[in-house]
Amino acid sequence: MAVYTEVSFTQASALFESLGLERLTSLQGCSGGIENTNYFAHTEGASYVLTLFERLSAEQLPYYLRLMAHLAAHGVAVPNPAPDARGELVHSLCGKPAAVVNMLSGKSELAPSAAHCAQVGAALARMHLVGRSFALRQDNLRALPWWNETVPVVLPYLEPAQAALLQSELAYQNHIATMAHCAALPRGPIHADLFRDNVMFTPAATEGGESVLSGFFDFYFAGNDAWVFDIAVCLNDWCVDLDSGAAVNARAQAFLAAYASVRPLEAAERKLLPAMLRAAALRFWLSRLWDWYLPREASMLKPHDPTRFERLLRQRIAHPQATGLAQSDFEPETTA
């Protein structure tokens, strides 16, 4: 949530007034994230996030915003975009497409327990099921075609061992994409970026209790893809030691058990989960390499260190059975 486009208080106030929202009282730029310009916007009655989109076009945005509105309308805890008088969710500010969504309550759990992971797993499964009835379709823009385009761009910046790993994994994922099991994976809208800092929890009602999930946000990498890829993205963040990349089995088991209690995994998903864990590690290693070596100028920009996902990818290759699935559910992957 860097700031690429400076927005004045007066400009933001005019937008809020046009949307019929309460009078703006404060506006503060956000330092987290790297894709869009984001501001915390507080009014006399509620708090919002104002986003100006720096890469996504006005034509692409209805998918993300209407997906959020669809999920919210069906009881999934996500921010609900504010419409204008015509019902449009995409607005314009400072020459950029923009959106205003309500701010979720609570805070992120950056050191999650197994109970937190279980809440995320169950909520993700509900999101996937609700998403089946969403009418719009847009492919995941950071999937295999983007990996194939971007790897040659970042290779010149890497050490030989890193370049070899990146090219080898890309070849492996291209092979996986040709498998019949991959074609059989159930699909629909996915979040695709559901890291710890994109989920909010409210404080526990009693001392010593667990905080309660209050919602998912930041849907601007969402797209139609395999649901198990979304699961893998979550397992690679919520259920690993961030320093080493090693899987934390208790958290992974809690996540998957809670997910399966809402939507049981199909055979193709269980079979390809190890490959999808590698795919999710590759996707974020690659995007962080791209942002690290080819950054855009922005106020408050804090690019993420890509080496975390290099370590994670190496762990996922070395320990393919560290998925969180019960041994009876695990089927060794084939490359035939």
Side-chain angles (χ1 to χ4, degrees):
M1 296 182 186
V3 173
Y4 299 96
T5 302
E6 298 289 342
V7 177
S8 71
F9 184 87
T10 300
Q11 290 169 319
S13 294
L15 175 61
F16 273 57
E17 182 179 357
S18 74
L19 299 179
L21 300 175
E22 302 93 335
R23 186 177 68 88
L24 193 65
T25 57
S26 69
L27 188 70
Q28 178 185 5
C30 308
S31 61
I34 55 177
E35 285 296 313
N36 302 309
T37 290
N38 285 269
Y39 285 87
F40 293 135
H42 303 284
T43 73
E44 294 174 328
S47 296
Y48 300 87
V49 177
L50 166 63
T51 301
L52 280 71
F53 298 95
E54 304 291 345
R55 280 180 167 155
L56 295 171
S57 68
E59 292 72 29
Q60 292 171 317
L61 284 171
Y63 176 88
Y64 306 101
L65 298 173
R66 296 204 176 278
L67 174 60
M68 294 162 65
H70 174 85
L71 295 173
H74 288 81
V76 180
V78 301
N80 200 0
D84 64 16
R86 299 173 300 164
E88 296 296 331
L89 304 179
V90 183
H91 316 304
S92 181
L93 190 62
C94 301
K96 301 286 179 68
V100 176
V101 303
N102 60 296
M103 188 182 299
L104 298 175
S105 61
K107 64 178 183 179
S108 298
E109 288 286 353
L110 300 182
S113 67
H116 293 127
C117 294
Q119 292 184 62
V120 175
L124 183 68
R126 288 193 292 272
M127 190 202 91
H128 287 164
L129 293 177
V130 169
R132 292 181 302 183
S133 59
F134 183 55
L136 300 183
R137 176 183 172 80
Q138 178 173 283
D139 289 337
N140 175 5
L141 300 181
R142 291 288 179 92
L144 185 62
W146 185 82
W147 308 345
N148 282 318
E149 293 173 3
T150 307
V151 164
V153 177
V154 302
L155 280 178
Y157 299 96
L158 304 184
E159 297 295 328
Q162 293 175 309
L165 174 61
L166 192 62
Q167 291 173 301
S168 172
E169 187 60 29
L170 181 63
Y172 173 79
Q173 293 299 334
N174 274 289
H175 167 72
I176 290 294
T178 68
M179 295 175 61
H181 280 91
C182 191
L185 293 172
R187 298 170 186 270
I190 68 169
H191 185 284
D193 191 31
L194 198 62
F195 283 27
R196 303 177 193 192
D197 55 358
N198 284 335
V199 180
M200 301 294 274
F201 292 82
T202 54
T206 59
E207 185 176 352
E210 291 287 358
S211 52
V212 178
L213 190 148
S214 59
F216 300 163
F217 66 99
D218 198 357
F219 275 77
Y220 302 120
F221 282 115
N224 286 68
D225 206 335
W227 285 334
V228 71
F229 180 78
D230 221 10
I231 293 169
V233 170
C234 290
L235 290 173
N236 276 352
D237 185 69
W238 289 87
C239 305
V240 301
D241 176 78
L242 297 185
D243 292 330
S244 67
V248 179
N249 202 44
R251 281 191 245 155
Q253 289 177 341
F255 180 99
L256 288 169
Y259 184 99
S261 71
V262 178
R263 187 191 76 83
L265 294 182
E266 296 185 7
E269 294 175 298
R270 295 195 301 271
K271 187 175 187 67
L272 286 184
L273 182 56
M276 292 299 104
L277 290 166
R278 289 172 59 169
L282 172 65
R283 177 263 187 261
F284 285 98
W285 184 30
L286 183 54
S287 63
R288 290 191 175 188
L289 286 169
W290 189 44
D291 290 324
W292 187 267
Y293 291 112
L294 301 162
R296 295 171 292 158
E297 290 188 10
S299 172
M300 307 171 71
L301 178 63
K302 294 181 179 179
H304 299 295
D305 182 0
T307 58
R308 170 188 160 191
F309 283 95
E310 178 186 353
R311 292 192 299 270
L312 179 59
L313 177 57
R314 294 184 187 278
Q315 284 279 352
R316 290 305 191 187
I317 293 171
H319 304 286
Q321 293 188 339
T323 63
L325 289 174
Q327 190 64 32
S328 59
D329 286 335
F330 179 77
E331 297 181 62
E333 180 190 331
T334 178
T335 57

